Amino acid sequence: MSDSETAPAETAHERTALAGDVRFSVVTAGPDGLELVVAFGPRDYAVRLTPAEAGELGLALLATASVAADAAQDVPAGTRVENCFFPVLGWTAGEVAPGVPALAFRLAESTEIAFQFDRDAARACGRDLARSGRVPLRERLRRAFRRPVRPADPHGA
């Protein structure tokens, strides 16, 4: 009797899982850990992570998704992406509750990440962003005083 004769027939749900129906979730696992749960069809596979490992994995996944979604970047298959400057495709600023400012960024296709601030941190962040978007005084002065250089007139005119 061959393995195919003794193995139970695949259900439609299992075939769908094999075709790419993968689901992810994260659950807490006490004060010092969490579990990343990867589900294929009816089975769940849990991987225990420390908070630091989860942060590293999350950052790597966001960076890789962002790089892969950017058609302007020619990144060869097999390139390891651990972090990057995320291209901000859009943003929304507002409050999640009265007095609780928040800023959400759209990084790639439908990938969004949101940050919650206290009022002082939100003001400081806004000031820093505004400051970084301005041209430094030294460069503005250089542009203002830069005049086109005219070649000397050989005829003394």
Side-chain angles (χ1 to χ4, degrees), residues 81-94:
V81 180
E82 294 174 340
N83 200 351
C84 69
F85 285 100
F86 297 99
V88 176
L89 305 177
W91 65 89
T92 303

Side-chain angles (χ1 to χ4, degrees), residues 65-136:
S66 179
V67 167
D70 186 354
Q73 293 192 50
D74 184 22
V75 181
T79 300
R80 184 179 176 141
V81 180
E82 294 174 340
N83 200 351
C84 69
F85 285 100
F86 297 99
V88 176
L89 305 177
W91 65 89
T92 303
E95 292 184 328
V96 292
V100 184
L103 182 59
F105 295 106
R106 186 167 43 92
L107 303 176
E109 295 180 8
S110 61
T111 303
E112 291 188 5
I113 187 167
F115 299 93
Q116 179 178 311
F117 296 83
D118 63 35
R119 283 195 183 279
D120 292 337
R123 285 188 190 102
C125 179
R127 279 191 306 269
D128 286 347
L129 282 170
R131 189 177 305 124
S132 68
R134 281 184 277 191
V135 177

Side-chain angles (χ1 to χ4, degrees), residues 3-124:
D3 288 340
S4 62
E5 292 174 12
T6 59
E10 287 181 342
T11 66
H13 184 71
E14 289 169 332
R15 279 191 302 277
T16 302
L18 294 174
D21 181 27
V22 180
R23 297 172 317 284
F24 303 95
S25 62
V26 180
V27 296
T28 58
D32 62 345
L34 53 99
E35 287 186 350
L36 168 65
V37 180
V38 181
F40 296 97
R43 302 269 322 206
D44 289 356
Y45 301 90
V47 178
R48 190 168 184 124
L49 301 170
T50 67
E53 291 166 335
E56 185 178 336
L57 174 62
L59 190 57
L61 287 171
L62 278 173
T64 305
S66 179
V67 167
D70 186 354
Q73 293 192 50
D74 184 22
V75 181
T79 300
R80 184 179 176 141
V81 180
E82 294 174 340
N83 200 351
C84 69
F85 285 100
F86 297 99
V88 176
L89 305 177
W91 65 89
T92 303
E95 292 184 328
V96 292
V100 184
L103 182 59
F105 295 106
R106 186 167 43 92
L107 303 176
E109 295 180 8
S110 61
T111 303
E112 291 188 5
I113 187 167
F115 299 93
Q116 179 178 311
F117 296 83
D118 63 35
R119 283 195 183 279
D120 292 337
R123 285 188 190 102

